[in-house]
Amino acid sequence: MRPNNHTHPRRRAALATAAAILLAGSAISAAAPALAEPAHPGHEDPFEHNHQPSEQAQPKLFPGQQETAAGEPDVAPGETESSNMELLSNIPMDGTLQGTGSDLAFEGNYAYAGNYDGFTVYDLSNPKEPSKLTEVYCPGAQNDVSVYGDILIASVDARMVDDKCGSERTSDPENYWEGIRVFDISDPADPQYIKSVETKCGSHTNSMAPSKNGQDLYVYVSSYSPNAALANCQPPHDLISVVKIPVKNPTAAAVVSEPNLFPDGGYEGGGWASATSGCHDITTYAKKDIAAGACMGDGIIMDISDRENPVVTERVRDTENFAFWHSATFNNDATKVVFTDELGGGGWATCTEEFGPELGANAIYELKGGKLDFASYYKIPRINTENENCVAHNGSLIPVKGKDLMVQSWYQGGTSVFDFTDAKNPKEVAWFDRGEGLSGGGTWSSYYYNGYVYSNDLSVGLDTFKLDSAIDAKAKKQKELNPQAQRRY
């Protein structure tokens, strides 16, 4: 699809409204209350991201849209699913944590679910019907979580009065804290907060890369959109923060380097595509000493053989169809990378006829000889209503040898399972859609873990799904799962 300069009148109004909402909440405004829900679905909430509004939020004409009026949705309001995917259970968000649900990580028989108010630990001993083990109240958007042995890391991308759990947000541009928090989860029923590490521009997401001897855990902290008015988020911000955590002494965690990934400043932005000012998310593949970064206006591959000093070895851009490079997933052989585009910050209804099959989609690249070659786009094939925020979001591989299968969240577009073994012809094989109005934003993360798909919804809690055995009968068992720190299966 080639970009054009036309926008359907109804969509133009919607885009302008969404942009106005984002711009109204720019970083230096008053802090939101600790239990506030996002101003709109998705994690680019102006109160949650405390720097500048993302580039794609600017009120510009949107290229690439089709001028046809929106058709009737393929999925009517109300839960519906493909015949080979079944919702088994839901644990509602009915406890202490009432913020937005975010990312998931798994260790043994436990799932750790991020929430803007902290994180929840679920017991998966009965994987069909998980139970809530405990909640940890520790506000700080997004609270994206990663786990490694007895260590849990939570990202804080919000200016807090200090680093304590229970700390409130502040609008003070000089005296504030944001970064990562480290917890001891040796007793999953009673996590202990043991250390904080402040990082420049906070921590929107975090990705782990253990040392080859396993004695140290390196954490790549992604953050972006600097602001000259903020003491610890000065432009230019073309770096990531590398935090070293000694596994046997995690209280010694500290920033050990701040590599500049974009000496040339990164993509300068153009039209509607975001300029690069940091990375949104990084996925490591420590076994192969590589990482893939989704960095606003750039998609990158890095050599991480020197954990403290990652080096960018490949960079690609999509100025026609990508607005905001959001996340990345390798296939098992690291011969392909699925990049996602978070068009509209998660708050726009982009799964409509007007946006077509390429805007707000995944981009699948083949990785050959260290070079990325574009293969195809993948977007859910169902048409959503104009009231459903929908765009590509967090997902993970289904570990079936010889196939490239992925399960992925699409906010109110639901959860999609697709096969990209043929990189040029990806196909959806299963799906679940909660339907319009039944969730305040839809599903943030959908991951496959030991025979089941688990989804953390922004507002209705944890879902558990079962796929037909024809899809995952040969899936490998996993001892842990951190989708942003891939392991070979």
Side-chain angles (χ1 to χ4, degrees), residues 303-327:
D303 179 340
I304 61 169
S305 53
D306 180 351
R307 298 286 192 261
E308 293 188 13
N309 298 287
V311 176
V312 175
T313 59
E314 171 70 338
R315 182 164 60 170
V316 291
R317 294 170 181 164
D318 182 345
T319 58
E320 291 188 359
N321 290 313
F322 257 46
F324 189 88
W325 294 71
H326 174 273
S327 57

PDB file of all heavy atoms in Angstrom, residues 303-327:
ATOM      1  N   ASP A 303      24.447  -6.826  18.192  1.00  0.00           N
ATOM      2  CA  ASP A 303      25.361  -7.842  18.685  1.00  0.00           C
ATOM      3  C   ASP A 303      25.522  -7.592  20.178  1.00  0.00           C
ATOM      4  O   ASP A 303      25.980  -6.522  20.588  1.00  0.00           O
ATOM      5  CB  ASP A 303      26.705  -7.703  17.966  1.00  0.00           C
ATOM      6  CG  ASP A 303      27.747  -8.717  18.437  1.00  0.00           C
ATOM      7  OD1 ASP A 303      27.603  -9.278  19.538  1.00  0.00           O
ATOM      8  OD2 ASP A 303      28.723  -8.936  17.707  1.00  0.00           O
ATOM      9  N   ILE A 304      25.134  -8.577  21.023  1.00  0.00           N
ATOM     10  CA  ILE A 304      25.233  -8.399  22.467  1.00  0.00           C
ATOM     11  C   ILE A 304      26.236  -9.376  23.078  1.00  0.00           C
ATOM     12  O   ILE A 304      26.127  -9.736  24.254  1.00  0.00           O
ATOM     13  CB  ILE A 304      23.858  -8.524  23.144  1.00  0.00           C
ATOM     14  CG1 ILE A 304      23.231  -9.904  22.916  1.00  0.00           C
ATOM     15  CG2 ILE A 304      22.911  -7.431  22.659  1.00  0.00           C
ATOM     16  CD1 ILE A 304      21.989 -10.169  23.787  1.00  0.00           C
ATOM     17  N   SER A 305      27.205  -9.825  22.275  1.00  0.00           N
ATOM     18  CA  SER A 305      28.215 -10.740  22.811  1.00  0.00           C
ATOM     19  C   SER A 305      28.971 -10.094  23.965  1.00  0.00           C
ATOM     20  O   SER A 305      29.370 -10.772  24.922  1.00  0.00           O
ATOM     21  CB  SER A 305      29.176 -11.179  21.703  1.00  0.00           C
ATOM     22  OG  SER A 305      29.724 -10.065  21.026  1.00  0.00           O
ATOM     23  N   ASP A 306      29.189  -8.786  23.893  1.00  0.00           N
ATOM     24  CA  ASP A 306      29.659  -8.008  25.037  1.00  0.00           C
ATOM     25  C   ASP A 306      28.417  -7.406  25.669  1.00  0.00           C
ATOM     26  O   ASP A 306      27.894  -6.393  25.193  1.00  0.00           O
ATOM     27  CB  ASP A 306      30.632  -6.925  24.571  1.00  0.00           C
ATOM     28  CG  ASP A 306      31.157  -6.069  25.721  1.00  0.00           C
ATOM     29  OD1 ASP A 306      30.651  -6.185  26.850  1.00  0.00           O
ATOM     30  OD2 ASP A 306      32.070  -5.254  25.476  1.00  0.00           O
ATOM     31  N   ARG A 307      27.936  -8.050  26.738  1.00  0.00           N
ATOM     32  CA  ARG A 307      26.636  -7.667  27.307  1.00  0.00           C
ATOM     33  C   ARG A 307      26.562  -6.199  27.710  1.00  0.00           C
ATOM     34  O   ARG A 307      25.507  -5.567  27.616  1.00  0.00           O
ATOM     35  CB  ARG A 307      26.324  -8.548  28.533  1.00  0.00           C
ATOM     36  CG  ARG A 307      26.212 -10.040  28.240  1.00  0.00           C
ATOM     37  CD  ARG A 307      24.918 -10.360  27.519  1.00  0.00           C
ATOM     38  NE  ARG A 307      24.675 -11.797  27.494  1.00  0.00           N
ATOM     39  CZ  ARG A 307      24.929 -12.602  26.466  1.00  0.00           C
ATOM     40  NH1 ARG A 307      25.420 -12.087  25.347  1.00  0.00           N
ATOM     41  NH2 ARG A 307      24.689 -13.897  26.544  1.00  0.00           N
ATOM     42  N   GLU A 308      27.682  -5.659  28.171  1.00  0.00           N
ATOM     43  CA  GLU A 308      27.666  -4.278  28.648  1.00  0.00           C
ATOM     44  C   GLU A 308      27.745  -3.263  27.514  1.00  0.00           C
ATOM     45  O   GLU A 308      27.477  -2.083  27.726  1.00  0.00           O
ATOM     46  CB  GLU A 308      28.814  -4.038  29.636  1.00  0.00           C
ATOM     47  CG  GLU A 308      28.652  -4.813  30.935  1.00  0.00           C
ATOM     48  CD  GLU A 308      29.694  -4.425  31.981  1.00  0.00           C
ATOM     49  OE1 GLU A 308      30.386  -3.394  31.792  1.00  0.00           O
ATOM     50  OE2 GLU A 308      29.815  -5.153  32.983  1.00  0.00           O
ATOM     51  N   ASN A 309      28.099  -3.733  26.334  1.00  0.00           N
ATOM     52  CA  ASN A 309      28.306  -2.799  25.220  1.00  0.00           C
ATOM     53  C   ASN A 309      27.676  -3.331  23.936  1.00  0.00           C
ATOM     54  O   ASN A 309      28.388  -3.701  22.995  1.00  0.00           O
ATOM     55  CB  ASN A 309      29.806  -2.549  25.030  1.00  0.00           C
ATOM     56  CG  ASN A 309      30.446  -1.912  26.242  1.00  0.00           C
ATOM     57  OD1 ASN A 309      30.240  -0.745  26.518  1.00  0.00           O
ATOM     58  ND2 ASN A 309      31.224  -2.706  26.985  1.00  0.00           N
ATOM     59  N   PRO A 310      26.359  -3.396  23.881  1.00  0.00           N
ATOM     60  CA  PRO A 310      25.707  -3.856  22.642  1.00  0.00           C
ATOM     61  C   PRO A 310      26.018  -2.921  21.482  1.00  0.00           C
ATOM     62  O   PRO A 310      26.162  -1.706  21.670  1.00  0.00           O
ATOM     63  CB  PRO A 310      24.222  -3.834  23.005  1.00  0.00           C
ATOM     64  CG  PRO A 310      24.110  -2.872  24.143  1.00  0.00           C
ATOM     65  CD  PRO A 310      25.392  -2.995  24.910  1.00  0.00           C
ATOM     66  N   VAL A 311      26.102  -3.522  20.291  1.00  0.00           N
ATOM     67  CA  VAL A 311      26.457  -2.753  19.097  1.00  0.00           C
ATOM     68  C   VAL A 311      25.400  -2.978  18.020  1.00  0.00           C
ATOM     69  O   VAL A 311      25.048  -4.121  17.714  1.00  0.00           O
ATOM     70  CB  VAL A 311      27.839  -3.190  18.558  1.00  0.00           C
ATOM     71  CG1 VAL A 311      28.163  -2.447  17.265  1.00  0.00           C
ATOM     72  CG2 VAL A 311      28.918  -2.937  19.606  1.00  0.00           C
ATOM     73  N   VAL A 312      24.889  -1.909  17.455  1.00  0.00           N
ATOM     74  CA  VAL A 312      23.911  -2.018  16.373  1.00  0.00           C
ATOM     75  C   VAL A 312      24.617  -2.497  15.113  1.00  0.00           C
ATOM     76  O   VAL A 312      25.614  -1.902  14.677  1.00  0.00           O
ATOM     77  CB  VAL A 312      23.227  -0.658  16.114  1.00  0.00           C
ATOM     78  CG1 VAL A 312      22.286  -0.749  14.906  1.00  0.00           C
ATOM     79  CG2 VAL A 312      22.442  -0.212  17.342  1.00  0.00           C
ATOM     80  N   THR A 313      24.097  -3.571  14.535  1.00  0.00           N
ATOM     81  CA  THR A 313      24.699  -4.144  13.323  1.00  0.00           C
ATOM     82  C   THR A 313      23.809  -4.036  12.097  1.00  0.00           C
ATOM     83  O   THR A 313      24.276  -4.243  10.973  1.00  0.00           O
ATOM     84  CB  THR A 313      25.036  -5.625  13.556  1.00  0.00           C
ATOM     85  OG1 THR A 313      23.836  -6.334  13.906  1.00  0.00           O
ATOM     86  CG2 THR A 313      26.056  -5.791  14.673  1.00  0.00           C
ATOM     87  N   GLU A 314      22.530  -3.740  12.301  1.00  0.00           N
ATOM     88  CA  GLU A 314      21.588  -3.627  11.183  1.00  0.00           C
ATOM     89  C   GLU A 314      20.452  -2.709  11.583  1.00  0.00           C
ATOM     90  O   GLU A 314      20.025  -2.688  12.759  1.00  0.00           O
ATOM     91  CB  GLU A 314      21.061  -5.017  10.805  1.00  0.00           C
ATOM     92  CG  GLU A 314      19.917  -5.039   9.814  1.00  0.00           C
ATOM     93  CD  GLU A 314      20.308  -4.640   8.383  1.00  0.00           C
ATOM     94  OE1 GLU A 314      21.332  -3.962   8.217  1.00  0.00           O
ATOM     95  OE2 GLU A 314      19.591  -5.012   7.442  1.00  0.00           O
ATOM     96  N   ARG A 315      19.977  -1.922  10.608  1.00  0.00           N
ATOM     97  CA  ARG A 315      18.882  -0.990  10.897  1.00  0.00           C
ATOM     98  C   ARG A 315      17.977  -0.887   9.678  1.00  0.00           C
ATOM     99  O   ARG A 315      18.457  -0.797   8.554  1.00  0.00           O
ATOM    100  CB  ARG A 315      19.453   0.383  11.267  1.00  0.00           C
ATOM    101  CG  ARG A 315      18.395   1.410  11.630  1.00  0.00           C
ATOM    102  CD  ARG A 315      18.981   2.607  12.345  1.00  0.00           C
ATOM    103  NE  ARG A 315      19.972   3.335  11.563  1.00  0.00           N
ATOM    104  CZ  ARG A 315      20.473   4.519  11.928  1.00  0.00           C
ATOM    105  NH1 ARG A 315      20.096   5.080  13.067  1.00  0.00           N
ATOM    106  NH2 ARG A 315      21.351   5.127  11.172  1.00  0.00           N
ATOM    107  N   VAL A 316      16.662  -0.908   9.925  1.00  0.00           N
ATOM    108  CA  VAL A 316      15.690  -0.760   8.848  1.00  0.00           C
ATOM    109  C   VAL A 316      14.625   0.266   9.249  1.00  0.00           C
ATOM    110  O   VAL A 316      14.411   0.534  10.432  1.00  0.00           O
ATOM    111  CB  VAL A 316      15.002  -2.100   8.497  1.00  0.00           C
ATOM    112  CG1 VAL A 316      15.989  -3.054   7.851  1.00  0.00           C
ATOM    113  CG2 VAL A 316      14.366  -2.738   9.738  1.00  0.00           C
ATOM    114  N   ARG A 317      13.958   0.809   8.222  1.00  0.00           N
ATOM    115  CA  ARG A 317      12.874   1.765   8.430  1.00  0.00           C
ATOM    116  C   ARG A 317      11.741   1.447   7.477  1.00  0.00           C
ATOM    117  O   ARG A 317      11.961   0.872   6.412  1.00  0.00           O
ATOM    118  CB  ARG A 317      13.351   3.197   8.197  1.00  0.00           C
ATOM    119  CG  ARG A 317      14.376   3.665   9.200  1.00  0.00           C
ATOM    120  CD  ARG A 317      15.015   4.983   8.805  1.00  0.00           C
ATOM    121  NE  ARG A 317      16.009   5.391   9.791  1.00  0.00           N
ATOM    122  CZ  ARG A 317      16.928   6.317   9.574  1.00  0.00           C
ATOM    123  NH1 ARG A 317      16.987   6.932   8.393  1.00  0.00           N
ATOM    124  NH2 ARG A 317      17.792   6.637  10.520  1.00  0.00           N
ATOM    125  N   ASP A 318      10.549   1.824   7.868  1.00  0.00           N
ATOM    126  CA  ASP A 318       9.373   1.686   7.009  1.00  0.00           C
ATOM    127  C   ASP A 318       8.620   3.003   7.092  1.00  0.00           C
ATOM    128  O   ASP A 318       7.773   3.203   7.968  1.00  0.00           O
ATOM    129  CB  ASP A 318       8.509   0.515   7.490  1.00  0.00           C
ATOM    130  CG  ASP A 318       7.285   0.272   6.610  1.00  0.00           C
ATOM    131  OD1 ASP A 318       6.945   1.160   5.809  1.00  0.00           O
ATOM    132  OD2 ASP A 318       6.663  -0.792   6.746  1.00  0.00           O
ATOM    133  N   THR A 319       8.961   3.924   6.215  1.00  0.00           N
ATOM    134  CA  THR A 319       8.384   5.261   6.280  1.00  0.00           C
ATOM    135  C   THR A 319       7.024   5.342   5.608  1.00  0.00           C
ATOM    136  O   THR A 319       6.366   6.385   5.674  1.00  0.00           O
ATOM    137  CB  THR A 319       9.336   6.275   5.633  1.00  0.00           C
ATOM    138  OG1 THR A 319       9.579   5.898   4.272  1.00  0.00           O
ATOM    139  CG2 THR A 319      10.660   6.319   6.376  1.00  0.00           C
ATOM    140  N   GLU A 320       6.590   4.257   4.960  1.00  0.00           N
ATOM    141  CA  GLU A 320       5.289   4.266   4.301  1.00  0.00           C
ATOM    142  C   GLU A 320       4.180   3.781   5.229  1.00  0.00           C
ATOM    143  O   GLU A 320       3.094   4.339   5.254  1.00  0.00           O
ATOM    144  CB  GLU A 320       5.320   3.388   3.047  1.00  0.00           C
ATOM    145  CG  GLU A 320       6.171   3.959   1.927  1.00  0.00           C
ATOM    146  CD  GLU A 320       6.019   3.174   0.637  1.00  0.00           C
ATOM    147  OE1 GLU A 320       5.274   2.179   0.629  1.00  0.00           O
ATOM    148  OE2 GLU A 320       6.639   3.555  -0.363  1.00  0.00           O
ATOM    149  N   ASN A 321       4.450   2.718   5.998  1.00  0.00           N
ATOM    150  CA  ASN A 321       3.359   2.075   6.738  1.00  0.00           C
ATOM    151  C   ASN A 321       3.562   1.982   8.243  1.00  0.00           C
ATOM    152  O   ASN A 321       2.621   1.673   8.958  1.00  0.00           O
ATOM    153  CB  ASN A 321       3.121   0.661   6.187  1.00  0.00           C
ATOM    154  CG  ASN A 321       2.505   0.687   4.809  1.00  0.00           C
ATOM    155  OD1 ASN A 321       1.547   1.403   4.543  1.00  0.00           O
ATOM    156  ND2 ASN A 321       3.076  -0.081   3.884  1.00  0.00           N
ATOM    157  N   PHE A 322       4.776   2.227   8.746  1.00  0.00           N
ATOM    158  CA  PHE A 322       5.008   2.132  10.184  1.00  0.00           C
ATOM    159  C   PHE A 322       5.014   3.522  10.807  1.00  0.00           C
ATOM    160  O   PHE A 322       5.678   4.437  10.318  1.00  0.00           O
ATOM    161  CB  PHE A 322       6.340   1.430  10.463  1.00  0.00           C
ATOM    162  CG  PHE A 322       6.187  -0.002  10.906  1.00  0.00           C
ATOM    163  CD1 PHE A 322       5.335  -0.854  10.236  1.00  0.00           C
ATOM    164  CD2 PHE A 322       6.894  -0.495  11.988  1.00  0.00           C
ATOM    165  CE1 PHE A 322       5.196  -2.180  10.635  1.00  0.00           C
ATOM    166  CE2 PHE A 322       6.767  -1.816  12.397  1.00  0.00           C
ATOM    167  CZ  PHE A 322       5.913  -2.664  11.721  1.00  0.00           C
ATOM    168  N   ALA A 323       4.311   3.645  11.932  1.00  0.00           N
ATOM    169  CA  ALA A 323       4.276   4.903  12.664  1.00  0.00           C
ATOM    170  C   ALA A 323       5.178   4.869  13.891  1.00  0.00           C
ATOM    171  O   ALA A 323       5.820   5.859  14.227  1.00  0.00           O
ATOM    172  CB  ALA A 323       2.844   5.222  13.105  1.00  0.00           C
ATOM    173  N   PHE A 324       5.230   3.710  14.586  1.00  0.00           N
ATOM    174  CA  PHE A 324       5.948   3.639  15.859  1.00  0.00           C
ATOM    175  C   PHE A 324       6.408   2.205  16.097  1.00  0.00           C
ATOM    176  O   PHE A 324       5.617   1.337  16.432  1.00  0.00           O
ATOM    177  CB  PHE A 324       5.027   4.100  17.001  1.00  0.00           C
ATOM    178  CG  PHE A 324       5.722   4.278  18.325  1.00  0.00           C
ATOM    179  CD1 PHE A 324       6.305   5.495  18.652  1.00  0.00           C
ATOM    180  CD2 PHE A 324       5.782   3.243  19.249  1.00  0.00           C
ATOM    181  CE1 PHE A 324       6.940   5.666  19.868  1.00  0.00           C
ATOM    182  CE2 PHE A 324       6.411   3.412  20.470  1.00  0.00           C
ATOM    183  CZ  PHE A 324       6.991   4.625  20.781  1.00  0.00           C
ATOM    184  N   TRP A 325       7.716   1.937  15.888  1.00  0.00           N
ATOM    185  CA  TRP A 325       8.270   0.603  16.084  1.00  0.00           C
ATOM    186  C   TRP A 325       8.166   0.259  17.571  1.00  0.00           C
ATOM    187  O   TRP A 325       8.791   0.898  18.414  1.00  0.00           O
ATOM    188  CB  TRP A 325       9.711   0.554  15.597  1.00  0.00           C
ATOM    189  CG  TRP A 325       9.847   0.731  14.110  1.00  0.00           C
ATOM    190  CD1 TRP A 325       9.640   1.888  13.399  1.00  0.00           C
ATOM    191  CD2 TRP A 325      10.212  -0.270  13.159  1.00  0.00           C
ATOM    192  NE1 TRP A 325       9.852   1.655  12.056  1.00  0.00           N
ATOM    193  CE2 TRP A 325      10.216   0.346  11.879  1.00  0.00           C
ATOM    194  CE3 TRP A 325      10.541  -1.624  13.256  1.00  0.00           C
ATOM    195  CZ2 TRP A 325      10.527  -0.353  10.712  1.00  0.00           C
ATOM    196  CZ3 TRP A 325      10.865  -2.317  12.095  1.00  0.00           C
ATOM    197  CH2 TRP A 325      10.851  -1.684  10.846  1.00  0.00           C
ATOM    198  N   HIS A 326       7.390  -0.779  17.883  1.00  0.00           N
ATOM    199  CA  HIS A 326       6.968  -1.033  19.260  1.00  0.00           C
ATOM    200  C   HIS A 326       7.658  -2.221  19.910  1.00  0.00           C
ATOM    201  O   HIS A 326       8.085  -2.151  21.062  1.00  0.00           O
ATOM    202  CB  HIS A 326       5.444  -1.244  19.278  1.00  0.00           C
ATOM    203  CG  HIS A 326       4.900  -1.650  20.604  1.00  0.00           C
ATOM    204  ND1 HIS A 326       4.821  -2.969  21.021  1.00  0.00           N
ATOM    205  CD2 HIS A 326       4.387  -0.921  21.624  1.00  0.00           C
ATOM    206  CE1 HIS A 326       4.301  -3.028  22.223  1.00  0.00           C
ATOM    207  NE2 HIS A 326       4.033  -1.794  22.617  1.00  0.00           N
ATOM    208  N   SER A 327       7.738  -3.357  19.242  1.00  0.00           N
ATOM    209  CA  SER A 327       8.329  -4.548  19.845  1.00  0.00           C
ATOM    210  C   SER A 327       8.834  -5.479  18.757  1.00  0.00           C
ATOM    211  O   SER A 327       8.571  -5.275  17.563  1.00  0.00           O
ATOM    212  CB  SER A 327       7.319  -5.274  20.740  1.00  0.00           C
ATOM    213  OG  SER A 327       6.157  -5.621  20.019  1.00  0.00           O
TER     214      SER A 327
END
